[in-house]
Amino acid sequence: MVDVVVAGGGPVGMFLATELRLAGVEVVVLERSVDPNPHSRAFRLQPRTLDVLDSRGLLDRFRADHLDWPSAHFAGLRPLLDLGRTGGEHPHSLLIPQAHTERILEERAAALGADIRRGHELVGLRQDDAAATARVRLVGGEHAGGEYEISARYLVGCDGGRSAVRRLAEIGFPGTGGRVSALLGDVTLDDPDKLPSGIPGTLRTPAGLLMAVALEPGITRVLTTEFGRDLPDPETPMTLDELRDSVRRVTGEDVTMREPRWLSRFGDATCLADHYRDHRVLLAGDAAHVHFPIGAQGLNLGLQDAVNLGWKLAGEVRGWAPRTLLDSYDRERRPVARAVLRETRAQLALMNPDESINPLRELFGELLALDEVNAYLAALVSGVDVRYVFEDAEDGSLAGGYAPACAIMSAAGATRPAELLRTGRGVALLPEDSADLAELRAGWGDRVDMVGATVKGREGAAALLLRPDGYVAWSAASGLADDAVDGLRRSLTTWFGEPSEGPR
């Protein structure tokens, strides 16, 4: 028996594997595809995801040869959203193909010792009080069609919107069906200038939407969205003629395109899993939530699922997790997904080409010019607005929010919260002269790094307890008085279990 099986080797599954391996958890990744997917639906990592990658020391690898982008759009309207208004250390997104994100994370997972099995498809699942057992079929190669079983203490479905794990675990997936037909093609255009260009990159006509973006010399991504059309079976292979016909309907132009590198269809089905955990089976990423892809929010939402789940599942496997820790994954992440589903539906409604929507778009454009509205929506689409609700958080506390951008001064020199989180452990930043440091280290030092330090640049943060995912579990505005120390002990117990006298 292994500790954890992750079904699905896309970015979310690979990122979860890196988080588990960072905590010393044995993990097997099952991925149906024999080879990595060279195609990319998403092309953007949002500010909160950049914060997380920074906290794992990965950001420089992602940034290599890719551009920071200071803005985002809301429903294709002007003015654009200014990500600089979100604050934090990374007030911009990173333009990077999803295939590159997946490759970097797979390399990281493999380097940390994850057992990555490509060409292995999960086809069956059962669970009991002791284990979750997957039945796996081999895809491709001389043993194609062969099957085996693998048992794990936990199994996580990161296997996409048509998740086999979700279906086999019989977890409900309610929502709205598709009413929009979207076609995507990475193609060669004989006359790229023939495609009308919209602002900011999306053309809206009475017949639908068109986006055309140059991916590299000679290759253009053409994406059409039509409202109210009958949707074919999503499993039906898409053809280049379909894309040509859709471009003609939307623009009125006959556009010559050839040599398709990738063709794909999708809709606007919007669904959220009834729950993210069923005993020893959990869901993350598109297996837990699907929506119309706007601004790469699905990818970023899934990566945030992974970093929230990873340390909690590791704590359960390693034996130190308090009783309710793993259940907090569902409690924290489902509301975040629900908010994203609402927001993407709102954007798509504003993008509807029906002329009755035009006055609403005009009004929204005026609202976007207001600093407060622009900042609110920038935080919303970038994930920076996420704040978890903790029952024991005191008034004025930073608890529930992400680690503040601040300077940390300790005996080892100046650093940042992100640099202290590189190990994937919790971090307590406490006044250097605290008499309680030794006791706290003895009780929780095997799970939490206790750092004697001075926090500068953030009011109300004289002392902080950071969870491994970067969110603040507890804070004190000034020194460690007795009541503050009591609050810190309670928070340490809530998130990291009972104190111990030795390493685990």
Side-chain angles (χ1 to χ4, degrees):
M1 181 186 296
V2 300
D3 290 335
V4 177
V5 165
V6 175
V12 175
M14 291 300 180
F15 195 30
L16 178 59
T18 70
E19 289 293 288
L20 293 169
R21 286 302 304 147
L22 204 58
V25 172
E26 182 185 15
V27 58
V28 174
V29 179
L30 305 174
E31 168 53 45
R32 183 185 187 281
S33 300
V34 175
D35 299 310
N37 187 355
H39 308 299
S40 300
R41 191 179 299 279
F43 276 81
R44 185 186 297 259
L45 295 177
Q46 299 286 12
R48 180 59 77 233
T49 302
L50 301 184
D51 291 336
V52 170
L53 294 175
D54 187 11
S55 76
R56 296 300 185 258
L58 294 172
L59 188 53
D60 287 345
R61 293 182 62 185
F62 279 83
R63 272 189 164 153
D65 302 321
H66 298 108
L67 295 175
D68 291 339
W69 198 251
S71 59
H73 76 85
F74 193 87
L77 291 165
R78 286 278 193 175
L80 297 178
L81 301 178
D82 180 4
L83 297 178
R85 300 177 190 274
T86 62
E89 293 188 76
H90 308 101
H92 48 75
S93 58
L94 182 68
L95 301 185
I96 178 173
Q98 181 173 322
H100 293 192
T101 294
E102 182 176 326
R103 173 179 54 79
I104 294 171
L105 291 175
E106 180 170 358
E107 290 172 354
R108 171 71 166 171
L112 289 173
D115 181 355
I116 300 171
R117 303 182 184 182
R118 286 194 167 274
H120 292 236
E121 177 185 16
L122 183 146
V123 295
L125 172 63
R126 68 178 187 276
Q127 61 173 319
D128 54 32
D129 291 342
T133 300
R135 188 169 78 254
V136 183
R137 179 176 300 149
L138 301 179
V139 179
E142 60 179 310
H143 301 295
E147 295 188 356
Y148 68 93
E149 288 191 341
I150 181 171
S151 295
R153 295 179 62 182
Y154 290 92
L155 187 146
V156 186
C158 301
D159 51 343
R162 300 186 184 93
S163 170
V165 172
R166 187 187 64 237
R167 173 176 53 81
L168 292 166
E170 298 182 343
I171 297 174
F173 202 47
T176 60
R179 291 164 290 185
V180 166
S181 173
L183 303 179
L184 178 155
D186 294 342
V187 300
T188 297
L189 300 176
D190 288 346
D191 187 2
D193 294 334
K194 194 171 185 180
L195 281 181
S197 59
I199 297 175
T202 299
L203 174 72
R204 179 173 174 266
T205 77
L209 309 172
L210 170 78
M211 182 178 71
V213 178
L215 298 183
E216 59 185 72
I219 302 295
T220 300
R221 168 156 296 180
V222 178
L223 172 62
T224 63
T225 306
E226 298 181 81
F227 293 68
R229 293 186 63 83
D230 292 336
L231 301 179
D233 186 326
E235 298 294 333
T236 302
M238 181 185 149
T239 67
L240 187 59
D241 284 339
E242 283 185 83
L243 184 60
R244 290 193 188 101
D245 292 343
S246 183
V247 170
R248 184 185 305 112
R249 287 191 297 269
V250 172
T251 68
E253 295 276 355
D254 285 311
V255 177
T256 302
M257 55 185 75
R258 54 187 171 80
E259 299 174 2
R261 177 180 293 183
W262 184 41
L263 296 171
S264 179
R265 69 170 84 247
F266 56 95
D268 65 328
T270 302
C271 304
L272 178 64
D274 280 336
H275 41 271
Y276 284 12
R277 181 187 179 191
D278 179 68
H279 303 292
R280 293 186 175 274
V281 174
L282 300 108
L283 303 176
D286 287 353
H289 41 71
V290 295
H291 57 83
F292 191 74
I294 299 178
Q297 290 184 81
L299 169 62
N300 287 268
L301 183 62
L303 293 174
Q304 295 298 317
D305 288 345
V307 77
N308 185 287
L309 174 59
W311 69 279
K312 296 174 180 178
L313 186 53
E316 186 72 21
V317 170
R318 298 297 298 273
W320 58 255
R323 182 177 56 83
T324 61
L325 182 64
L326 192 53
D327 286 334
S328 72
Y329 168 61
D330 176 286
R331 187 168 62 250
E332 291 179 356
R333 294 306 297 170
R334 282 188 81 251
V336 176
R338 189 180 297 113
V340 171
L341 267 57
R342 181 188 68 169
E343 171 253 304
T344 53
R345 291 181 68 187
Q347 287 201 59
L348 190 60
L350 280 166
M351 296 169 78
N352 191 310
D354 191 295
E355 65 178 10
S356 66
I357 303 298
N358 291 346
L360 184 59
R361 287 178 62 84
E362 292 173 8
L363 177 59
F364 237 87
E366 294 175 7
L367 292 172
L368 285 171
L370 301 177
D371 290 347
E372 295 84 354
V373 174
N374 197 289
Y376 174 84
L377 292 177
L380 184 69
V381 303
S382 65
V384 173
D385 71 326
V386 172
R387 188 182 183 96
Y388 300 129
V389 178
F390 300 160
E391 292 181 359
D392 58 349
E394 299 178 1
D395 292 342
S397 168
L398 301 180
Y402 198 75
C406 56
I408 310 298
M409 308 302 295
S410 71
T415 186
R416 301 176 297 124
E419 294 170 347
L420 295 173
L421 288 164
R422 299 276 161 86
T423 62
R425 290 158 51 92
V427 175
L429 301 170
L430 308 174
E432 293 179 274
D433 58 357
S434 173
D436 300 285
L437 266 176
E439 176 209 338
L440 294 170
R441 283 196 180 105
W444 288 276
D446 56 321
R447 290 149 278 171
V448 179
D449 293 328
M450 303 287 174
V451 181
T454 300
V455 180
K456 293 188 175 182
R458 184 59 168 90
E459 186 177 348
L464 293 168
L465 175 61
L466 305 180
R467 306 190 321 184
D469 60 359
Y471 282 82
V472 179
W474 168 90
S475 71
S478 55
L480 284 184
D482 289 345
D483 58 341
V485 173
D486 289 343
L488 174 57
R489 289 195 187 100
R490 287 194 299 271
S491 188
L492 282 164
T493 303
T494 295
W495 296 109
F496 299 98
E498 296 293 333
S500 64
E501 292 299 331
R504 292 174 183 264

